[in-house]
Amino acid sequence: GVAYEASGQWAAAERCHRNALTFDPNAILPKICIGSNCYRRGNLDEGKQWHDQALVPATVDVESRPARSFVKLLRGDYLGGFQEYESRWKLPQVIAHSYIPKAFRWKGKPLQGKNILVVGEQGIGDTILMSRYFPMIEALGGRIVLVCNPVLHRLFRHNFPNARIYNFGEQHPNAQWWVPMMSLPFVFKTTPETIPAFRL
């Protein structure tokens, strides 16, 4: 089903996901995928019904949790959605393709002038959007050491002159703390009312 989705064959994808439910009617991920496909094709009511079913269980399997986090975010549950999105770090495919430095994960404590390694993840657009949190890190006393895609270096050097910026794989200063960029909304307990201003 996921392979069909990647090629835009939504009807074929839905058939696969529905077939998966015949083997396990309680599976969560197929319900999320079917609901999303319904939305793509304009079947809003049916899409909502499938996503409603996916949100019922208090706990779900690790593979389903990152996908379910997007459903929560789309419905305005930012605290629950960003918290559940942290489950991506339990997926082997995420860990295998991520830069995880030897440092403590930062969870929002005051930094008191210490280096914090901020690591870009996923796409360039996501990295740009998450840069809205940089001033909040600096307000907590953090000295940002940023690791990100080189195409963004010029933009970030111009907008965040105090940050030190490096490529993936490039030697950078040591830091006691690190945070993946897509975890910043979770760290700062972001809600729809507290989204920081975008300053680029």
Side-chain angles (χ1 to χ4, degrees):
V2 172
Y4 278 126
E5 287 172 354
S7 60
Q9 299 181 61
W10 309 119
E14 184 167 330
R15 285 196 299 271
C16 289
H17 295 311
R18 288 180 183 272
N19 189 45
L21 290 175
T22 65
F23 291 95
D24 182 4
N26 296 317
I28 298 300
L29 191 55
K31 295 176 182 178
I32 296 171
C33 293
I34 293 170
S36 298
N37 286 345
C38 288
Y39 280 118
R40 290 187 183 102
R41 298 202 311 260
N43 301 329
L44 305 186
D45 291 338
E46 185 179 358
K48 181 179 182 301
Q49 291 171 8
W50 283 105
H51 281 174
D52 285 345
Q53 293 181 47
L55 292 173
V56 169
T59 58
V60 298
D61 60 282
V62 172
E63 288 285 341
S64 300
R65 291 184 66 192
R68 195 171 79 156
S69 70
F70 296 133
V71 177
K72 292 184 176 182
L73 291 171
L74 286 169
R75 296 193 173 188
D77 179 10
Y78 280 29
L79 293 177
F82 287 126
Q83 180 180 22
E84 193 151 58
Y85 192 53
E86 290 301 292
S87 63
R88 69 194 184 279
W89 293 106
K90 296 183 179 180
L91 299 178
Q93 62 268 35
V94 171
I95 294 173
H97 294 93
S98 299
Y99 173 52
I100 303 177
K102 294 181 179 179
F104 296 108
R105 274 289 297 271
W106 183 62
K107 298 182 180 179
K109 294 173 58 176
L111 291 158
Q112 301 176 332
K114 295 178 181 177
N115 288 344
I116 176 169
L117 190 60
V118 181
V119 178
E121 38 172 335
Q122 302 176 27
I124 291 172
D126 292 315
T127 303
I128 292 173
L129 287 174
M130 292 301 107
S131 70
R132 68 180 67 225
Y133 290 93
F134 291 178
M136 298 174 70
I137 296 173
E138 292 175 336
L140 289 172
R143 300 173 60 196
I144 295 176
V145 179
L146 176 64
V147 178
C148 68
N149 190 303
V151 302
L152 295 172
H153 287 198
R154 181 180 177 187
L155 176 69
F156 283 161
R157 285 196 180 104
H158 175 76
N159 286 277
F160 305 105
N162 294 325
R164 288 166 289 175
I165 305 173
Y166 299 85
N167 295 331
F168 289 101
E170 187 177 4
Q171 187 67 34
H172 56 70
N174 292 328
Q176 182 179 358
W177 303 102
W178 85 284
V179 62
M181 289 186 72
M182 298 302 291
S183 291
L184 289 172
F186 171 67
V187 169
F188 284 104
K189 297 179 171 59
T190 303
T191 68
E193 295 75 29
T194 62
I195 299 171
F198 192 60
R199 56 171 286 178
L200 292 184

